[in-house]
């Protein structure tokens, strides 16, 4: 069996590569690894609205309870809400059933350790090793886990684990983290027919904003279907039609957010991070005057932050690596160009609704439009070429390729940068060149791509 865990949990075509049998086994193995030392462990389980989530939630619940872990099923909620509730309920683990921005036929299983933290490689390896061994401990009798708050299980009298108010508790958390009254702002929120369809508009309204919610009617089949953070046409039109101050678009599990300004122009994750970094610098919240971003963030973000006296730490692609660097360095803001933004003081994963709330708080604080705030980042032209190869690891480390990359970097100096990296999922090497001169960027990218293809 190849590696099961990808960059964000276990993902696949629901009821095919991601079968209920696999979901049960993964959950049982995760429960055994993450609940050791606990006499009676608890897991928080949530999902996005896609139809297969109902089937997979049943399998996940069976796996957890078969390992002797009690389950608090919180229903349809965003990924960051499940991570947050895993922490506040002091659960040993949390499970979010979602394929994020992927189309409806796909689904996934994201697992959080105690405190709501994503699993590191070592924990994932331990879970996969246990799966391979198949040596599960299965308690019997009173040792079998229970579904707290579920039908017929009113036995639980501990109010800490009551299902009542879980959604409201998360909304209150978001509003408290916003820090400002958003009255006077009108926002269009594209919910992607996903997990934030109820709590997203509720949080924005509770914070004082006037909210126009679109794509907020999930039927189990329409999640991410031509809408949300990967399809911005609808929200661009809606912002202009309603004369809104801005638009926010989340994905299916609402762990990422992209924005559009009042004219419909896109404000990507780099611009959002820059705006929030400046806000946190001014409020004294930006630890060590440092922002954490991935290698895919545009050079324009680095230039803007350097001018503002803010350092940028870069990581590999994937919000899990951003999270690891945030925790390692004690930093307070990080994210990705794709719209994952993490505030460690408020949550352990990207939170699209929180990012939007904090963005709007900066607008009210400064009296500026989103376009004015986003102008701090001048995007440097970028060329990306995907080169099919037979051995991506060997090609990416070939001496002649590394020498060519060094020469291109020397030519660009401070006016650009070169990034060459193997794809995480395909036999491709991605060649990216950024340069203030777009023609130069194209020429260098083409030359490097030809060399990579010939190695």
């Amino acid at each position: 069996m190849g590696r099961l865990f990808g960059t964000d949990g276990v993902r696949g075509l629901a009821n095919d590569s991601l079968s209920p049998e696999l979901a049960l086994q993964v959950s049982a193995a995760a429960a055994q690894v993450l609940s050791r030392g606990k006499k009676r462990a608890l897991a928080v389980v949530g999902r996005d609205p896609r139809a297969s989530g109902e089937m997979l939630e049943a399998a996940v619940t069976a796996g957890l309870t078969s390992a002797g872990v009690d389950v608090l099923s919180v229903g349809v909620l965003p990924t960051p809400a499940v991570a947050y509730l895993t922490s506040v309920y002091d659960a040993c683990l949390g499970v979010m059933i979602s394929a994020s921005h992927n189309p409806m036929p796909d689904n996934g299983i994201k697992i959080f350790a105690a405190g709501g933290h994503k699993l590191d490689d070592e924990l994932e390896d331990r879970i996969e090793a246990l799966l391979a061994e198949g040596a599960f401990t299965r308690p019997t009798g009173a040792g079998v886990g229970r579904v707290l708050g579920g039908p017929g299980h009113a036995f639980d009298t501990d109010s800490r684990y009551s299902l009542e108010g879980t959604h409201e508790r998360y909304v209150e958390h978001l509003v408290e983290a916003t820090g400002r009254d958003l009255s006077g702002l009108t926002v269009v929120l594209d919910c992607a027919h996903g997990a934030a369809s109820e709590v997203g508009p509720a949080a924005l309204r509770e914070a004082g904003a006037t909210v126009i919610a679109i794509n907020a009617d999930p039927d189990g089949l329409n999640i991410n279907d031509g809408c949300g953070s990967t399809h911005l046409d609808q929200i661009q039109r809606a912002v202009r039609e309603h004369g809104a101050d801005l638009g926010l678009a989340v994905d299916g599990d609402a762990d990422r957010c992209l924005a559009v300004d009042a004219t419909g122009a896109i404000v990507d994750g780099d611009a959002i991070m820059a705006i929030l970094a400046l806000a946190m610098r001014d409020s004294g919240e930006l630890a060590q005057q440092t922002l954490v971003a991935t290698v895919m963030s545009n050079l324009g973000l680095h230039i803007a932050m350097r001018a503002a006296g803010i350092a940028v730490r870069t990581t590999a692609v994937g919000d899990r690596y951003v999270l690891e660097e945030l925790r390692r360095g004690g930093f307070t803001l990080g994210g990705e160009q794709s719209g994952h933004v993490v505030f460690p003081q408020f949550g352990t994963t990207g939170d699209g609704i929180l990012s939007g709330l904090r963005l709007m708080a900066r607008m009210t604080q400064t009296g500026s439009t989103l376009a004015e705030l986003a102008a701090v980042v001048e995007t440097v032209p970028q060329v990306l070429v995907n080169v099919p190869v037979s051995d991506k690891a060997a090609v990416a480390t070939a001496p002649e390729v590394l020498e060519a990359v060094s020469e291109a970097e020397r030519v660009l100096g401070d006016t650009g940068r070169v990034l060459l990296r193997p794809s995480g999922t395909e036999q491709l090497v991605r060649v990216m060149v950024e340069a203030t001169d777009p023609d130069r960027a194209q020429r260098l990218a083409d030359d490097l791509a030809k060399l990579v293809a010939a190695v």
Side-chain angles (χ1 to χ4, degrees):
M1 181 179 70
R3 182 165 173 79
L4 191 62
F5 284 91
T7 56
D8 200 13
V10 180
R11 196 172 292 185
L13 181 61
N15 213 27
D16 189 292
S17 58
L18 182 56
S19 66
E21 292 86 355
L22 178 61
L24 187 151
Q25 292 170 345
V26 168
S27 302
Q32 203 160 312
V33 169
L34 298 172
S35 67
R36 285 177 180 167
K38 284 274 188 176
K39 185 176 181 181
R40 194 77 185 189
L42 174 71
V44 173
V45 177
R47 62 181 178 87
D48 71 24
R50 66 189 78 208
S52 59
E54 300 160 4
M55 168 190 72
L56 292 173
E57 181 180 22
V60 165
T61 300
L64 294 169
T65 53
S66 75
V69 173
D70 293 333
V71 172
L72 178 64
S73 177
V74 296
V76 175
L77 273 178
T79 288
V82 173
Y84 169 72
L85 294 171
T86 299
S87 176
V88 299
Y89 288 135
D90 195 26
C92 282
L93 71 155
V95 181
M96 177 66 185
I97 301 162
S98 174
S100 191
H101 61 281
N102 282 28
M104 183 281 298
D106 292 344
N107 216 324
I109 298 172
K110 302 182 184 186
I111 300 173
F112 298 100
H117 295 288
K118 289 193 174 184
L119 305 185
D120 58 27
D121 290 340
E122 189 268 336
L123 282 173
E124 288 181 350
D125 290 343
R126 285 171 56 190
I127 292 169
E128 291 206 17
L130 186 57
L131 271 172
E133 295 168 7
F136 299 113
T137 299
R138 298 196 181 277
T140 58
V144 174
R146 303 297 299 271
V147 182
L148 307 183
H153 296 307
F155 66 90
D156 180 49
T157 58
D158 190 337
S159 61
R160 291 180 303 159
Y161 302 144
S162 171
L163 271 176
E164 294 297 325
T166 51
H167 290 52
E168 291 82 0
R169 186 167 188 173
Y170 175 60
V171 168
E172 289 173 6
H173 160 70
L174 291 176
V175 175
E176 288 176 6
T178 303
R180 296 188 73 87
D181 181 3
L182 303 183
S183 297
L185 286 180
T186 298
V187 59
V188 177
L189 177 65
D190 186 341
C191 301
H193 295 305
S197 293
E198 290 188 11
V199 295
L204 288 163
R205 291 187 180 113
E206 188 68 22
T210 298
V211 182
I212 300 157
I214 64 172
N215 299 314
D217 299 298
D219 61 10
L221 307 177
N222 58 2
I223 188 169
N224 298 320
D225 187 9
C227 57
S229 62
T230 53
H231 302 86
L232 297 174
D233 293 352
Q234 286 194 54
I235 195 166
Q236 288 175 299
R237 289 195 300 270
V239 166
R240 290 191 293 262
E241 289 169 2
H242 291 281
D245 296 293
L246 75 159
L248 302 171
V250 298
D251 62 340
D253 69 335
D255 66 348
R256 71 171 72 181
C257 170
L258 295 179
V260 299
D261 67 23
T263 71
I266 296 171
V267 179
D268 70 7
D270 283 345
I272 291 171
M273 285 190 288
I275 294 167
L276 297 175
L278 292 171
M280 293 177 67
R281 180 202 63 182
D282 293 350
S283 65
E285 297 175 280
L286 190 65
Q288 303 174 57
Q289 303 300 296
T290 298
L291 168 69
V292 178
T294 76
V295 293
M296 292 305 292
S297 279
N298 190 269
L299 179 62
L301 173 65
H302 293 260
I303 293 171
M305 294 295 93
R306 187 159 57 240
I310 295 172
V312 179
R313 290 283 190 96
T314 56
T315 74
V317 176
D319 66 327
R320 63 181 293 181
Y321 300 111
V322 173
L323 286 160
E324 287 174 6
E325 184 64 19
L326 287 168
R327 294 180 68 185
R328 184 183 301 113
F331 305 120
T332 50
L333 180 65
E336 293 187 282
Q337 191 180 58
S338 60
H340 289 111
V341 178
V342 186
F343 306 85
Q345 67 269 49
F346 301 122
T348 56
T349 185
D351 191 325
I353 300 300
L354 178 56
S355 298
L357 287 163
R358 296 279 291 198
L359 195 63
M360 293 168 69
R362 182 61 168 175
M363 292 171 66
T364 61
Q365 178 196 12
T366 61
S368 302
T369 66
L370 182 55
E372 290 167 342
L373 293 174
V376 68
V377 175
E378 294 184 22
T379 301
V380 173
Q382 182 183 90
V383 177
L384 178 64
V385 183
N386 293 323
V387 186
V389 296
S390 57
D391 186 341
K392 59 188 178 183
V395 170
T397 57
E400 59 266 47
V401 171
L402 297 178
E403 183 179 344
V405 169
S406 295
E407 175 59 19
E409 290 174 334
R410 187 194 66 76
V411 169
L412 289 171
D414 293 335
T415 67
R417 69 181 182 123
V418 178
L419 176 65
L420 188 145
R421 67 182 185 91
S423 165
T425 57
E426 303 171 85
Q427 281 296 339
L428 296 173
V429 171
R430 306 193 194 281
V431 177
M432 186 191 79
V433 179
E434 290 175 345
T436 52
D437 179 347
D439 292 335
R440 174 177 281 184
Q442 188 68 61
R443 286 195 306 272
L444 287 172
D446 289 343
D447 289 346
L448 284 171
K450 288 176 185 175
L451 175 62
V452 166
V455 172

Short mmCIF file of all heavy atoms in Angstrom, two decimals, residues 121-151:
data_model
loop_
_atom_site.label_atom_id
_atom_site.label_comp_id
_atom_site.label_asym_id
_atom_site.label_seq_id
_atom_site.Cartn_x
_atom_site.Cartn_y
_atom_site.Cartn_z
N ASP A 121 4.03 14.33 10.48
CA ASP A 121 4.37 13.13 9.71
C ASP A 121 4.52 11.91 10.60
O ASP A 121 4.13 10.79 10.21
CB ASP A 121 5.66 13.36 8.92
CG ASP A 121 5.49 14.36 7.78
OD1 ASP A 121 4.34 14.58 7.36
OD2 ASP A 121 6.50 14.92 7.33
N GLU A 122 5.09 12.10 11.78
CA GLU A 122 5.35 10.95 12.67
C GLU A 122 4.04 10.29 13.11
O GLU A 122 3.93 9.06 13.12
CB GLU A 122 6.16 11.43 13.89
CG GLU A 122 6.68 10.31 14.78
CD GLU A 122 5.71 9.97 15.92
OE1 GLU A 122 4.92 10.84 16.30
OE2 GLU A 122 5.76 8.82 16.40
N LEU A 123 3.04 11.09 13.45
CA LEU A 123 1.75 10.52 13.86
C LEU A 123 1.05 9.84 12.68
O LEU A 123 0.46 8.77 12.84
CB LEU A 123 0.85 11.62 14.45
CG LEU A 123 1.16 12.04 15.88
CD1 LEU A 123 0.30 13.24 16.28
CD2 LEU A 123 0.92 10.88 16.85
N GLU A 124 1.12 10.47 11.50
CA GLU A 124 0.53 9.83 10.33
C GLU A 124 1.20 8.49 10.04
O GLU A 124 0.52 7.50 9.71
CB GLU A 124 0.65 10.75 9.12
CG GLU A 124 -0.28 11.97 9.18
CD GLU A 124 -0.15 12.86 7.97
OE1 GLU A 124 0.77 12.66 7.14
OE2 GLU A 124 -1.00 13.77 7.82
N ASP A 125 2.52 8.44 10.19
CA ASP A 125 3.25 7.19 9.95
C ASP A 125 2.82 6.11 10.94
O ASP A 125 2.68 4.93 10.56
CB ASP A 125 4.75 7.43 10.05
CG ASP A 125 5.31 8.24 8.89
OD1 ASP A 125 4.62 8.36 7.86
OD2 ASP A 125 6.43 8.76 9.02
N ARG A 126 2.60 6.51 12.19
CA ARG A 126 2.17 5.52 13.20
C ARG A 126 0.78 4.99 12.88
O ARG A 126 0.51 3.78 13.04
CB ARG A 126 2.20 6.16 14.59
CG ARG A 126 3.61 6.33 15.14
CD ARG A 126 3.62 7.16 16.41
NE ARG A 126 2.76 6.62 17.45
CZ ARG A 126 2.45 7.26 18.57
NH1 ARG A 126 2.94 8.48 18.78
NH2 ARG A 126 1.67 6.71 19.47
N ILE A 127 -0.10 5.84 12.42
CA ILE A 127 -1.45 5.40 12.06
C ILE A 127 -1.39 4.46 10.86
O ILE A 127 -2.04 3.40 10.84
CB ILE A 127 -2.35 6.62 11.76
CG1 ILE A 127 -2.61 7.40 13.05
CG2 ILE A 127 -3.68 6.18 11.14
CD1 ILE A 127 -3.27 8.75 12.84
N GLU A 128 -0.58 4.82 9.85
CA GLU A 128 -0.46 3.96 8.68
C GLU A 128 0.17 2.61 9.02
O GLU A 128 -0.22 1.58 8.48
CB GLU A 128 0.34 4.68 7.59
CG GLU A 128 -0.39 5.87 6.99
CD GLU A 128 0.04 6.18 5.57
OE1 GLU A 128 0.66 5.30 4.92
OE2 GLU A 128 -0.27 7.28 5.10
N ALA A 129 1.15 2.62 9.94
CA ALA A 129 1.79 1.36 10.34
C ALA A 129 0.77 0.45 11.04
O ALA A 129 0.74 -0.76 10.79
CB ALA A 129 2.96 1.65 11.27
N LEU A 130 -0.06 1.04 11.88
CA LEU A 130 -1.08 0.24 12.57
C LEU A 130 -2.10 -0.31 11.57
O LEU A 130 -2.55 -1.45 11.70
CB LEU A 130 -1.78 1.11 13.62
CG LEU A 130 -2.78 0.40 14.54
CD1 LEU A 130 -2.12 -0.76 15.28
CD2 LEU A 130 -3.37 1.38 15.54
N LEU A 131 -2.44 0.50 10.57
CA LEU A 131 -3.34 0.03 9.53
C LEU A 131 -2.75 -1.17 8.80
O LEU A 131 -3.44 -2.16 8.51
CB LEU A 131 -3.62 1.15 8.52
CG LEU A 131 -4.79 2.08 8.80
CD1 LEU A 131 -4.78 3.24 7.81
CD2 LEU A 131 -6.10 1.33 8.70
N ALA A 132 -1.47 -1.08 8.48
CA ALA A 132 -0.81 -2.16 7.75
C ALA A 132 -0.77 -3.45 8.57
O ALA A 132 -0.93 -4.55 8.04
CB ALA A 132 0.60 -1.74 7.36
N GLU A 133 -0.56 -3.28 9.88
CA GLU A 133 -0.51 -4.45 10.77
C GLU A 133 -1.89 -5.05 10.97
O GLU A 133 -2.05 -6.26 11.12
CB GLU A 133 0.07 -4.05 12.13
CG GLU A 133 1.52 -3.61 12.10
CD GLU A 133 1.95 -2.97 13.40
OE1 GLU A 133 1.14 -2.99 14.36
OE2 GLU A 133 3.06 -2.43 13.46
N GLY A 134 -2.91 -4.18 11.02
CA GLY A 134 -4.27 -4.65 11.26
C GLY A 134 -4.48 -5.15 12.67
O GLY A 134 -5.44 -5.88 12.94
N ALA A 135 -3.60 -4.77 13.58
CA ALA A 135 -3.67 -5.28 14.96
C ALA A 135 -4.45 -4.31 15.84
O ALA A 135 -3.89 -3.63 16.70
CB ALA A 135 -2.26 -5.49 15.50
N PHE A 136 -5.74 -4.24 15.63
CA PHE A 136 -6.57 -3.31 16.39
C PHE A 136 -7.01 -3.90 17.72
O PHE A 136 -7.34 -5.08 17.81
CB PHE A 136 -7.81 -2.92 15.59
CG PHE A 136 -7.52 -2.23 14.29
CD1 PHE A 136 -7.81 -2.83 13.09
CD2 PHE A 136 -6.94 -0.97 14.28
CE1 PHE A 136 -7.53 -2.20 11.89
CE2 PHE A 136 -6.65 -0.33 13.10
CZ PHE A 136 -6.96 -0.94 11.90
N THR A 137 -7.03 -3.05 18.74
CA THR A 137 -7.60 -3.44 20.03
C THR A 137 -9.09 -3.15 20.00
O THR A 137 -9.51 -2.02 19.71
CB THR A 137 -6.95 -2.64 21.17
OG1 THR A 137 -5.55 -2.93 21.18
CG2 THR A 137 -7.56 -3.00 22.51
N ARG A 138 -9.91 -4.13 20.27
CA ARG A 138 -11.36 -3.94 20.21
C ARG A 138 -11.98 -4.26 21.56
O ARG A 138 -12.16 -5.44 21.92
CB ARG A 138 -11.97 -4.82 19.12
CG ARG A 138 -11.46 -4.50 17.72
CD ARG A 138 -12.36 -5.10 16.66
NE ARG A 138 -11.88 -4.84 15.31
CZ ARG A 138 -12.10 -3.72 14.64
NH1 ARG A 138 -12.78 -2.74 15.23
NH2 ARG A 138 -11.64 -3.56 13.42
N PRO A 139 -12.32 -3.23 22.33
CA PRO A 139 -12.97 -3.47 23.62
C PRO A 139 -14.37 -4.02 23.44
O PRO A 139 -14.99 -3.87 22.37
CB PRO A 139 -13.00 -2.07 24.24
CG PRO A 139 -13.00 -1.14 23.09
CD PRO A 139 -12.16 -1.81 22.04
N THR A 140 -14.89 -4.62 24.47
CA THR A 140 -16.25 -5.16 24.44
C THR A 140 -17.03 -4.62 25.64
O THR A 140 -16.47 -3.95 26.51
CB THR A 140 -16.24 -6.69 24.48
OG1 THR A 140 -15.55 -7.12 25.66
CG2 THR A 140 -15.54 -7.26 23.25
N GLY A 141 -18.32 -4.93 25.67
CA GLY A 141 -19.16 -4.52 26.79
C GLY A 141 -19.15 -3.02 27.01
O GLY A 141 -19.28 -2.23 26.07
N ALA A 142 -18.93 -2.62 28.24
CA ALA A 142 -18.95 -1.20 28.58
C ALA A 142 -17.77 -0.44 28.00
O ALA A 142 -17.75 0.79 28.01
CB ALA A 142 -18.96 -1.04 30.11
N GLY A 143 -16.79 -1.18 27.47
CA GLY A 143 -15.62 -0.50 26.89
C GLY A 143 -15.86 0.07 25.51
O GLY A 143 -15.05 0.86 25.02
N VAL A 144 -16.96 -0.31 24.87
CA VAL A 144 -17.26 0.21 23.54
C VAL A 144 -17.65 1.69 23.65
O VAL A 144 -18.35 2.10 24.57
CB VAL A 144 -18.41 -0.59 22.90
CG1 VAL A 144 -18.85 0.04 21.57
CG2 VAL A 144 -17.98 -2.04 22.68
N GLY A 145 -17.17 2.48 22.72
CA GLY A 145 -17.47 3.91 22.75
C GLY A 145 -18.94 4.20 22.50
O GLY A 145 -19.66 3.39 21.90
N ARG A 146 -19.39 5.35 22.93
CA ARG A 146 -20.79 5.77 22.76
C ARG A 146 -20.85 7.04 21.92
O ARG A 146 -19.89 7.79 21.82
CB ARG A 146 -21.42 6.04 24.12
CG ARG A 146 -21.41 4.88 25.11
CD ARG A 146 -22.22 3.69 24.61
NE ARG A 146 -23.62 4.02 24.40
CZ ARG A 146 -24.58 3.92 25.35
NH1 ARG A 146 -24.25 3.51 26.57
NH2 ARG A 146 -25.82 4.21 25.07
N VAL A 147 -22.02 7.26 21.33
CA VAL A 147 -22.27 8.48 20.56
C VAL A 147 -23.00 9.46 21.46
O VAL A 147 -24.19 9.28 21.75
CB VAL A 147 -23.09 8.19 19.29
CG1 VAL A 147 -23.30 9.48 18.48
CG2 VAL A 147 -22.39 7.14 18.42
N LEU A 148 -22.28 10.47 21.93
CA LEU A 148 -22.84 11.40 22.90
C LEU A 148 -23.84 12.33 22.23
O LEU A 148 -23.57 12.92 21.18
CB LEU A 148 -21.73 12.22 23.53
CG LEU A 148 -20.58 11.43 24.15
CD1 LEU A 148 -19.58 12.36 24.82
CD2 LEU A 148 -21.09 10.42 25.15
N GLY A 149 -24.99 12.46 22.85
CA GLY A 149 -26.01 13.36 22.33
C GLY A 149 -26.77 12.78 21.15
O GLY A 149 -27.65 13.44 20.60
N GLY A 150 -26.45 11.56 20.73
CA GLY A 150 -27.14 10.97 19.60
C GLY A 150 -28.49 10.39 20.00
O GLY A 150 -28.82 10.30 21.19
N PRO A 151 -29.31 9.97 19.02
CA PRO A 151 -30.63 9.40 19.32
C PRO A 151 -30.51 8.19 20.24
O PRO A 151 -29.71 7.29 20.02
CB PRO A 151 -31.14 8.99 17.93
CG PRO A 151 -30.37 9.85 16.97
CD PRO A 151 -29.02 10.05 17.59
#
